[in-house]
RNA sequence: GCCACCGUAGCUCAAUGGUAGAGCAGCUGAUUCGUAAUCAGCAGGUUAGCGGUUCAAGUCCGCUCGGUGGCUCCA
């Protein structure tokens, strides 16, 4: 759609050729507007049009077209259309704010993922009540149906225009724009804003109820903490009120899944101020889940040719000087400890130097490679107080870290192996939708030559393609020490998370002088790859809690079954049942409280225990259990041995991948997607 | 770190500047019960901490501590 008509359809003095998305070419008079083009195609299209793509650029419907061009009409129901809709909604909000607070100064107000925001310098702190008032004012401006008009001003006039209105931030925006940039403004009623556009034709095109102002938060001007802080009003915005409601419902759903809330309710972990922010206490149940994850991953790693190593939490400054961490990572490292030998020791922010020294502890032959050193290594990184967030952003965490050392000729296969290994591992937790991101060399700050980057970068790309993963390339996005793949996956409610990273490193083998002796008897430099798949155990646990909404699948559940005796008469049988199941490796509790069955079941449901086993006299006589599944209710009476076998089978299925039976751990739609 | 908001019993939340309260959880007792809450009683607090205003502060002001939301998705 970006291609203009070719020379076979030349523009004449009064006619131009317009190429439409379907490839057809139509003749129009010079100066025709996209709106007129839309009208000539169909009344419906003209009605739904909100903007146009002119040779690929978003533009207004009323911008005259002066030359041959490719035009695509943008309707409200497209991605572009939503972008324009939200952008105009942001302007509407700014207009409403200015009506209520004429002294307010405007920063920027772009569309974002699920809505828009506007940064504003207001005369006072805005309250939730203010936001309601702004919403009402927005509805009023909609009912006024103010036409939205675009005009351009030369730079000096533009500066004067915003300057006389006291819009100091707009002045700075213009000053920062390149000289040759055309400066456009959009006017609706008494309100005018500097803006690139495009916008809807009038405020009446915004449907009431398609936006909701959510909250106000501080945001630095231009995101720079040295600059002044503005108030950012976040709003959600969609094409229809139903979508807004659905989004608000999803926010509520996310709130209910919040791992901090569930962590407390299910007694999984806590973060105590007395310990310190970002330092996690794993309670027994959280610890059980973590051990299941770690054990499972460890077995997979051993089967995958990894060897496990251990390294200390501290190391002398020499390590970090040599690795370069003290140069480029210092602000994330804790202050050194001076020991009695006068040496400075640092808490480790990463495991790599230790693994490297293991490699370097003896001469290596080309026959030894590849070497794959894995460690669930606990690292400490200083994070500023304001960024800490539950388990997601912490100061002490355990990585499922590994370092691969290999010969150049082994490198493509190593990459293939580790990427597939990673995807397999994540699938076991019920994640199915993946996106890869390939970060390539930044010429301005890259170690090594472009030629050195070539082979690894292409190996990474080839591995992604062979794995059949959708991917995007972040050209120049790599860190200075090598290209990398970041892998993201979607959770049960469609949120995307990045945990896995596979990174080449040209720098550390050099700095530590790593070598191996080749077939030719000479020393060669090995390739080195850092990789963490689950990333941080803490963060991955937080993601899992939210993904499963606290209802862990059987193989991970800290308590897999709770035995519920109907009365004290059958306590003994309840204990027998529990013991028999424990003997088969199941994690079973008995609820011995003198409460009714309903009470204990309710408690089991709230604690999200996968199986509840009600036992009374009937079961005792028959040697059975009455099985109840979490979220599903009664599932019939079963012979104790049959049940034990079922649990063993379901645990094995869970560990085998595909997440195993979740028993209502996620909404049905997601369940279907997680079981192969 | 910065801006804003918040901090009352273990948890969730009440209390026009005028005697700190409820539900759940906990403990004690009774109830022996069949698939999402049995009943009664008891206990639980320096209202995060420190200072100030006031006859009087959970409430108003200041500081400290802690938590929460956010801090380029660039006109």
């Amino acid at each position: 759609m970006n291609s203009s008509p070719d020379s076979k359809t030349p523009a004449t003095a009064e006619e131009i050729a317009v190429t439409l998305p379907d490839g057809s070419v139509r003749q129009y008079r010079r100066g025709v507007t996209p709106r007129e083009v839309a009208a000539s195609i169909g009344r419906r299209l003209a009605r739904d049009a909100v903007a146009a793509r002119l040779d690929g650029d978003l533009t207004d419907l009323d911008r005259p077209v002066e030359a041959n061009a490719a035009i695509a009409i943008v309707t409200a129901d497209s991605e572009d259309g939503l972008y324009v809709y939200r952008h105009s909604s942001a302007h509407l909000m700014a207009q409403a704010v200015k009506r209520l607070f004429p002294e307010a100064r405007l920063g920027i107000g772009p569309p974002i993922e699920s809505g828009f925001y506007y940064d504003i310098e207001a005369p006072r702190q805005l309250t939730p009540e203010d936001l309601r008032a702004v919403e009402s004012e927005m509805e009023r401006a909609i009912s006024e149906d103010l036409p939205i008009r675009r005009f351009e001003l030369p730079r000096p006039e533009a500066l004067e225009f915003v300057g006389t209105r006291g819009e100091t931030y707009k002045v700075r925006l213009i000053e920062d724009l390149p000289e040759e940039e055309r400066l456009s403004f959009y006017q609706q009623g008494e309100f005018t804003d500097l803006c690139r556009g495009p916008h809807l034709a009038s405020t009446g095109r915004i449907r009431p109820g398609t936006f909701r102002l959510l909250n106000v938060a501080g945001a630095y001007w231009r995101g720079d903490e040295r600059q002044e802080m503005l108030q950012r009003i976040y709003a959600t915005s969609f094409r229809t009120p139903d979508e807004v409601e659905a989004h608000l419902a999803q926010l509520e759903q996310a709130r209910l899944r919040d791992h901090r809330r569930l962590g407390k309710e299910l007694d999984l972990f806590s973060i105590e101020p007395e310990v310190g922010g970002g330092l996690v206490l794993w309670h027994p149940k959280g610890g059980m889940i973590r051990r299941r994850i770690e054990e499972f991953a460890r077995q997979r790693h051993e089967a995958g040719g990894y060897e496990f190593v251990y390294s200390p939490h501290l190391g002398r400054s020499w390590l970090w000087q040599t690795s370069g961490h003290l140069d480029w990572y210092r602000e994330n490292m804790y202050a050194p400890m001076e020991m009695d030998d006068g040496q400075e020791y640092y808490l480790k922010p990463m495991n790599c130097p230790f693994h490297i020294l293991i490699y370097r502890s003896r001469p290596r032959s080309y026959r030894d490679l590849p070497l794959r050193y894995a460690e669930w290594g606990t690292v400490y990184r200083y994070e500023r107080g304001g960024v800490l967030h539950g388990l997601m952003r912490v100061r002490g965490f355990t990585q499922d870290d590994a370092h691969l050392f290999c010969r150049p000729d082994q490198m493509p296969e190593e990459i293939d192996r580790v990427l597939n290994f990673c995807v397999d591992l994540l699938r076991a937790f019920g994640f199915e939708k993946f996106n890869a991101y390939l970060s390539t060399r930044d010429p301005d700050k890259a170690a090594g030559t472009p030629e050195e980057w070539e082979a690894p970068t292409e190996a990474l790309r080839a591995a992604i393609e062979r794995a059949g993963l959708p991917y995007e390339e972040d050209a120049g996005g790599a860190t200075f020490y090598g290209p990398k793949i970041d892998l993201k996956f979607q959770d049960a409610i469609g949120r995307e998370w990045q945990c896995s990273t596979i990174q080449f490193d040209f720098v550390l083998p050099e700095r530590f002088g790593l070598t191996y002796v080749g077939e030719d008897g000479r020393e060669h430099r090995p390739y080195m790859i850092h990789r963490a798949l689950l990333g941080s155990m803490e963060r991955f646990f937080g993601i899992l809690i939210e993904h499963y909404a606290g209802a862990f699948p059987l193989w991970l559940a800290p308590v897999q079954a709770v035995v519920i005796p109907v009365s004290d008469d059958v306590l003994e049988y309840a204990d027998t049942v529990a013991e028999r199941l424990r003997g088969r490796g199941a994690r079973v509790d008995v609820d011995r409280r003198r409460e009714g069955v309903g009470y204990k079941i309710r408690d089991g449901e709230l604690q999200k225990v996968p199986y509840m086993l009600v036992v009374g006299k009937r079961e005792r006589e028959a040697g059975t259990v009455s099985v109840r599944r979490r979220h599903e209710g009664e599932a019939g009476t079963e012979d104790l041995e049959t049940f034990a076998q079922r649990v063993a089978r379901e645990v094995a299925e869970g560990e085998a991948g595909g997440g195993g039976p979740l028993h209502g751990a996620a909404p049905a739609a997601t369940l279907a997607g997680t079981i192969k």
Side-chain angles (χ1 to χ4, degrees):
Chain A
M1 99 173 134
N2 292 358
S3 62
S4 295
D6 58 28
S7 51
K8 277 174 270 179
T9 54
T12 63
E14 60 286 341
E15 286 228 313
I16 57 169
V18 169
T19 307
L20 299 172
D22 63 2
S24 65
V25 178
R26 293 190 185 206
Q27 298 295 126
Y28 291 94
R29 67 175 168 76
R30 182 182 298 279
V32 70
T33 65
R35 183 187 304 284
E36 291 161 343
V37 172
S40 76
I41 295 170
R43 184 188 299 186
R44 176 109 182 244
L45 185 65
R47 194 192 63 200
D48 294 341
V50 295
R53 272 204 182 269
L54 184 65
D55 287 334
D57 295 330
L58 264 183
T59 184
D60 299 275
L61 286 171
D62 293 316
R63 178 91 70 95
V65 182
E66 301 294 347
N68 289 352
I71 291 181
I73 301 301
V74 171
T75 54
D77 56 1
S78 67
E79 275 299 300
D80 283 342
L82 185 58
Y83 178 90
V84 171
Y85 191 82
R86 286 172 170 163
H87 204 174
S88 293
S89 298
H91 271 219
L92 182 70
M93 181 172 81
Q95 177 174 28
V97 169
K98 290 283 279 190
R99 282 181 175 183
L100 296 174
F101 304 95
E103 322 88 308
R105 291 174 177 155
L106 303 178
I108 61 168
I112 53 172
E113 183 71 32
S114 57
F116 57 86
Y117 69 78
Y118 216 115
D119 285 347
I120 289 165
E121 184 190 271
R124 64 172 169 81
Q125 176 61 32
L126 300 177
T127 65
E129 293 72 52
D130 290 330
L131 297 189
R132 298 289 83 81
V134 172
E135 280 177 346
S136 302
E137 195 58 47
M138 289 170 72
E139 306 271 348
R140 186 167 307 138
I142 288 174
S143 63
E144 291 166 12
D145 195 18
L146 305 166
I148 300 175
R149 294 204 187 82
R150 178 181 191 277
F151 62 91
E152 291 187 7
L153 288 179
R155 199 181 180 87
E157 281 84 342
L159 279 170
E160 196 197 331
F161 187 88
V162 294
T164 54
R165 282 164 176 74
E167 294 287 0
T168 51
Y169 296 98
K170 299 292 180 184
V171 171
R172 287 154 74 176
L173 283 173
I174 293 175
E175 284 168 348
D176 287 349
L177 285 169
E179 286 285 346
E180 66 281 7
E181 191 80 20
R182 298 166 73 166
L183 299 173
S184 57
F185 289 82
Y186 283 81
Q187 181 182 14
Q188 53 199 65
E190 81 290 350
F191 176 76
T192 305
D193 197 3
L194 171 75
C195 185
R196 182 168 47 196
H199 280 283
L200 302 177
S202 74
T203 58
R205 298 294 293 266
I206 298 173
R207 277 181 75 186
T210 58
F211 53 82
R212 182 80 59 89
L213 309 198
L214 296 179
N215 61 324
V216 54
Y220 296 106
W221 171 242
R222 311 233 95 172
D224 182 344
E225 65 186 29
R226 291 163 305 191
Q227 307 265 20
E228 47 274 73
M229 184 164 283
L230 308 179
Q231 297 187 58
R232 173 168 297 177
I233 304 175
Y234 278 98
T236 181
S237 156
F238 288 91
R239 300 166 186 95
T240 64
D242 282 353
E243 286 174 281
V244 172
E245 290 305 321
H247 184 254
L248 293 175
Q250 211 212 310
L251 290 181
E252 174 64 12
Q253 176 63 213
R255 199 182 66 79
L256 290 174
R257 285 169 180 260
D258 190 313
H259 70 283
R260 295 167 300 181
R261 170 201 182 91
L262 287 168
K264 187 177 285 177
E265 286 174 6
L266 304 180
D267 197 17
L268 301 175
F269 71 92
S270 61
I271 297 172
E272 308 290 342
E274 292 85 346
V275 177
L279 300 170
V280 180
L281 298 178
W282 294 72
H283 297 198
K285 285 179 180 162
M288 173 58 76
I289 296 169
R290 172 168 171 175
R291 274 222 316 292
R292 297 325 319 149
I293 297 170
E294 288 184 350
E295 271 297 292
F296 166 72
R298 186 184 57 75
Q299 283 170 14
R300 286 270 179 117
H301 276 73
E302 285 175 348
Y306 288 82
E307 299 174 285
F308 276 79
V309 299
Y310 294 89
S311 64
H313 289 212
L314 287 172
R316 278 170 52 177
S317 57
W318 177 90
L319 270 188
W320 313 107
Q321 260 152 25
T322 307
S323 69
H325 285 105
L326 282 178
D327 293 329
W328 55 272
Y329 205 71
R330 185 167 220 137
E331 65 275 20
N332 284 301
M333 292 173 67
Y334 282 92
M337 283 161 266
E338 181 137 348
M339 307 301 251
D340 53 9
D341 55 3
Q343 289 290 336
E344 287 187 333
Y345 287 73
Y346 286 88
L347 273 174
K348 65 173 169 182
M350 296 187 188
N351 302 301
C352 20
F354 298 101
H355 296 187
I356 285 171
L357 289 196
I358 294 171
Y359 178 97
R360 213 182 69 164
S361 64
R362 48 170 284 187
R364 301 292 177 180
S365 151
Y366 70 98
R367 287 187 237 265
D368 297 335
L369 302 180
L371 285 170
R372 309 185 188 97
Y373 294 151
E375 177 178 13
W376 298 171
T378 303
V379 297
Y380 296 89
R381 298 180 183 176
Y382 177 74
E383 302 277 3
R384 299 150 110 202
V387 307
L388 300 176
H389 178 81
L391 295 175
M392 303 299 188
R393 195 84 179 263
V394 293
R395 286 175 169 161
F397 58 95
T398 301
Q399 291 180 304
D400 65 327
D401 206 2
H403 294 91
L404 315 177
F405 303 91
C406 69
R407 308 188 304 257
D409 63 289
Q410 295 169 322
M411 189 261 300
E413 199 202 321
E414 274 310 293
I415 303 272
D416 257 354
R417 281 180 66 126
V418 70
L419 186 60
N420 287 320
F421 185 87
C422 178
V423 170
D424 266 5
L425 190 70
L426 290 172
R427 285 211 171 106
F429 298 97
F431 301 115
E432 285 296 328
K433 293 187 76 177
F434 300 95
N435 277 306
Y437 296 80
L438 175 66
S439 298
T440 60
R441 188 169 187 277
D442 178 353
D444 295 333
K445 51 162 192 180
T449 65
E451 294 71 38
E452 286 173 318
W453 282 60
E454 174 84 19
T457 304
E458 289 317 306
L460 290 172
R461 188 194 311 279
I464 295 172
E465 284 170 358
R466 271 196 293 274
L469 298 172
Y471 79 102
E472 286 173 31
E473 185 166 336
D474 182 7
T479 47
F480 71 91
Y481 52 84
K484 64 169 179 175
I485 296 174
D486 290 329
L487 193 69
K488 296 187 185 180
F489 57 78
Q490 277 185 22
D491 72 4
I493 56 173
R495 291 175 300 181
E496 198 169 59
W497 302 94
Q498 189 223 310
C499 293
S500 319
T501 185
I502 300 169
Q503 308 190 347
F504 252 84
D505 194 328
F506 295 121
V507 172
L508 288 183
E510 186 85 31
R511 281 178 169 256
F512 283 92
L514 299 189
T515 59
Y516 66 90
V517 178
E519 208 170 355
D520 56 7
R522 296 218 297 264
E523 290 199 330
H524 301 272
R525 187 79 74 213
Y527 273 135
M528 176 178 163
I529 298 162
H530 307 256
R531 45 115 286 186
L533 308 185
L534 308 180
S536 135
M537 294 309 305
E538 281 74 4
R539 182 160 175 276
F540 189 73
F541 183 42
I543 292 169
L544 274 193
I545 293 171
E546 302 204 353
H547 172 61
Y548 290 127
F552 287 91
L554 195 66
W555 73 281
L556 288 171
V559 177
Q560 295 172 313
V562 58
V563 183
I564 297 176
V566 169
S567 72
D568 285 0
D569 308 346
V570 289
L571 267 179
E572 204 175 322
Y573 179 62
D575 287 335
T576 308
V577 167
E579 273 315 310
R580 293 265 309 271
L581 291 172
R582 287 186 195 122
R584 304 290 295 271
R587 300 185 286 277
V588 182
D589 279 352
V590 179
D591 190 341
R592 304 177 62 91
R593 291 174 297 183
R594 296 208 337 182
E595 294 286 353
V597 172
Y599 181 91
K600 295 177 184 177
I601 284 178
R602 178 180 154 79
D603 207 52
E605 289 284 350
L606 292 177
Q607 287 297 307
K608 303 178 195 279
V609 179
Y611 283 112
M612 282 154 269
L613 305 175
V614 177
V615 296
K617 294 195 179 92
R618 293 201 295 270
E619 286 75 17
R620 182 176 60 192
E621 305 320 320
T624 57
V625 291
S626 173
V627 179
R628 185 192 166 93
R629 286 165 177 256
R630 172 176 69 194
H631 304 344
E632 290 173 15
E634 288 189 69
T637 299
E638 226 169 34
D639 182 71
L640 182 53
E641 179 58 26
T642 310
F643 178 75
Q645 284 172 8
R646 176 219 295 289
V647 168
R649 188 173 63 246
E650 288 181 5
V651 166
E653 282 167 10
E655 292 193 352
L662 298 177
H663 302 317
T670 320
L671 259 179
T674 53
I675 297 177
K676 282 197 231 177

